[in-house]
């Protein structure tokens, strides 16, 4: 479904009633390229759109977990939309061909959420768990990581938002319904909501 008035109203766009994407990715460098994972039923699978969501192709993906509910998050390279990383229960998987084939990149860590940065290309922010822990920044699409100084302990980030114009401003939503924000590239963090309740 799509909204053209900042969420006030919504209308069907494609696959209405056919899929329920529990993982959804919009490429930061080319917003016409979308990926979605539908984890249940006859239409379960990885889907791709190259026209902003009007038409979708189901991808015959080799190497993704059989149980797609164990795929936590998906990110595509802002510089190359066909290059993908998936945070899964078994680790981080990577694909260089738009999700057709997947190989294991790391079994010592994974990520629960991720967001690409349009400029400069290739940069992503993810919430990593495992060998490294916390909100991480990468300028080489996940080969190396730099900490943004946010570790949530038993909680995890389920959504990351990046300010579209101002560098270094991030907001994070967590599985326990907390919202945190940094305006100085992770040097300090402020709690905007706790357990779903706005903080003054």
């Amino acid at each position: 479904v799509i909204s053209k008035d900042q969420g006030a109203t919504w209308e069907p766009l494609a696959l209405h009633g056919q899929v329920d994407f529990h993982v959804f990715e919009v490429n930061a460098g080319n917003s016409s390229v979308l990926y979605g994972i539908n984890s249940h039923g006859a239409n379960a699978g990885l889907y791709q759109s190259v026209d902003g969501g009007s038409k979708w192709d189901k991808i015959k993906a080799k190497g993704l977990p059989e149980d797609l509910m164990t795929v936590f998050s998906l990110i595509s390279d802002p510089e190359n939309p066909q290059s993908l990383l998936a945070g899964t229960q078994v680790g981080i998987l990577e694909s260089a061909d738009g999700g057709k084939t997947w190989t294991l990149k790391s079994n010592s860590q994974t990520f629960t959420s991720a967001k690409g940065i349009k400029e400069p290309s290739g940069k992503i922010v993810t919430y990593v768990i495992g060998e490294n822990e916390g909100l991480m920044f990468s300028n080489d699409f996940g080969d190396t990581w730099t900490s943004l100084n946010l570790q949530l302990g038993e909680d995890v980030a389920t959504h990351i938002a990046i300010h579209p114009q101002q560098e270094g401003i991030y907001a994070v939503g967590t599985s326990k319904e907390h919202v945190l924000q940094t305006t100085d590239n992770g040097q300090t963090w402020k709690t905007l909501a706790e357990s779903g309740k706005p903080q003054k």
Side-chain angles (χ1 to χ4, degrees):
V1 294
I2 187 169
S3 174
K4 298 178 181 178
D5 53 13
Q6 298 184 323
T9 61
W10 295 84
E11 60 185 62
L13 183 64
L15 303 176
H16 197 249
Q18 299 176 46
V19 301
D20 178 12
F21 291 141
H22 85 276
V23 172
F24 193 75
E25 158 67 359
V26 181
N27 183 263
N30 181 357
S31 60
S32 294
V33 181
L34 315 175
Y35 293 92
I37 292 180
N38 180 41
S39 56
H40 294 298
N43 294 322
L46 173 66
Y47 289 75
Q48 182 195 55
S49 173
V50 295
D51 65 358
S54 294
K55 296 180 181 179
W56 292 82
D57 292 318
K58 187 177 180 182
I59 297 171
K60 293 182 179 179
K62 295 182 179 179
L64 277 181
E66 185 174 336
D67 181 2
L68 292 174
M69 281 299 294
T70 63
V71 180
F72 308 131
S73 185
L74 195 66
I75 184 73
S76 54
D77 189 338
E79 198 167 30
N80 176 15
Q82 299 300 304
S83 181
L84 299 165
L85 297 176
T88 79
Q89 200 170 60
V90 298
I92 298 175
L93 305 181
E94 63 181 347
S95 173
D97 56 9
K100 295 182 180 69
T101 57
W102 294 84
T103 57
L104 185 65
K105 182 179 180 71
S106 172
N107 63 0
S108 62
Q109 57 190 2
T110 188
F111 59 89
T112 60
S113 58
K115 187 71 72 173
I117 301 175
K118 184 176 181 179
E119 297 292 346
S121 294
K123 295 189 176 182
I124 59 173
V125 176
T126 69
Y127 193 82
V128 179
I129 56 176
E131 185 179 41
N132 293 308
E133 193 87 22
L135 194 68
M136 300 285 176
F137 171 87
S138 177
N139 59 12
D140 52 17
F141 200 56
D143 288 335
T144 59
W145 300 99
T146 300
S147 175
L148 288 171
N149 304 311
L150 181 67
Q151 290 81 35
L152 297 172
E154 295 182 0
D155 200 2
V156 296
T158 53
H159 188 77
I160 300 166
I162 298 172
H163 196 288
Q165 280 90 36
Q166 298 182 45
E167 187 176 349
I169 299 180
Y170 310 115
V172 171
T174 82
S175 64
K176 295 186 178 181
E177 300 183 3
H178 306 325
V179 179
L180 303 103
Q181 183 191 53
T182 179
T183 58
D184 54 15
N185 206 42
Q187 294 182 51
T188 59
W189 286 87
K190 178 181 180 181
T191 299
L192 301 183
E194 190 169 339
S195 301
K197 296 180 180 179
Q199 302 295 293
K200 293 183 179 179

